[in-house]
Amino acid sequence: MEVSKRDAANRQLNEAIHLFFEQRDPVAIHTLIGSASLILSDLVEANNPEKSWDKSAQQDNELDKKSYYKIMRKTQNFIKHANSDPDETLSFDVTEAPALAMFSILNNGELGGMLSREQPFFQLWYLAVHYKNLEWDGSDIPNALSMFGDLSKLTMKKQISHGKKVWEQCNAS
């Protein structure tokens, strides 16, 4: 089997999106999203650094690169390494994974468009959940609200369940 870095990242991200809407294991979901995020971030930095969403977030939050990645990759680094802390545990916020997925999708878009149906679907779902708190140009928000309704006031579990229901309806036709 031959696979490019971008293809690998897309496959990981798409599978994580499916697992996310099925409310499967948050550790597995975060691991897949984290891996895809790292690859897509590296690819944007290598091919189009001025379009990096990570760089934009660093600047917006006035963080140096090291501090930014320490925060953004805390959970995924804990999950994938045990050499310096084999007995440690981590309490992590499961709401980190959707935000990391959104950043991955945005970075992927800077590489020349998204290569799946899952990613634009997830992006619209994310906007329907978070549109009130995002600095977004607003262009996709009417589509997100038309597709999902306003999900901002629902619990995360209900937001995800509604996303799964809409996904199933979109794929039934």
Side-chain angles (χ1 to χ4, degrees), residues 13 31 39-40 75 82 101 131 146 157:
L13 190 52
T31 300
I39 293 168
L40 293 167
T75 301
Y131 75 97
S146 172
K157 187 174 179 112

Side-chain angles (χ1 to χ4, degrees), residues 12-146:
Q12 291 168 340
L13 190 52
N14 294 340
E15 192 60 29
I17 290 168
H18 285 283
L19 294 173
F20 177 78
F21 283 117
E22 292 186 14
Q23 300 188 48
R24 302 289 299 272
D25 188 314
V27 173
I29 293 165
H30 200 102
T31 300
L32 287 169
I33 293 171
S35 180
S37 170
L38 183 61
I39 293 168
L40 293 167
S41 182
D42 287 347
L43 290 173
V44 168
E45 283 293 323
N47 295 297
N48 214 354
E50 69 281 354
K51 300 275 187 158
S52 169
W53 283 84
D54 293 295
K55 190 175 286 183
S56 177
Q58 288 170 44
Q59 293 168 350
D60 290 348
N61 290 292
E62 299 177 358
L63 294 169
D64 61 83
K65 191 172 187 173
K66 184 177 181 179
S67 299
Y68 171 79
Y69 284 116
K70 184 176 182 179
I71 294 166
M72 284 295 283
R73 300 215 169 106
K74 179 182 177 184
T75 301
Q76 78 187 78
N77 284 334
F78 178 86
I79 291 169
K80 72 178 186 174
H81 298 292
N83 55 343
S84 63
D85 60 357
D87 298 320
E88 293 295 318
T89 60
L90 174 72
S91 176
F92 76 99
D93 183 352
V94 296
T95 64
E96 291 174 6
L100 192 57
M102 183 66 166
F103 264 78
S104 301
I105 291 166
L106 293 171
N107 274 331
N108 197 25
E110 297 301 342
L111 295 168
M114 291 176 260
L115 305 175
S116 72
R117 295 176 323 164
E118 291 87 350
Q119 292 174 41
F121 178 87
F122 185 90
Q123 185 174 1
L124 290 173
W125 173 85
Y126 191 88
L127 289 173
V129 171
H130 298 285
Y131 75 97
K132 292 180 179 179
N133 301 318
L134 294 174
E135 290 182 25
W136 194 263
D137 69 8
S139 61
D140 294 326
I141 292 172
N143 292 337
L145 295 175
S146 172

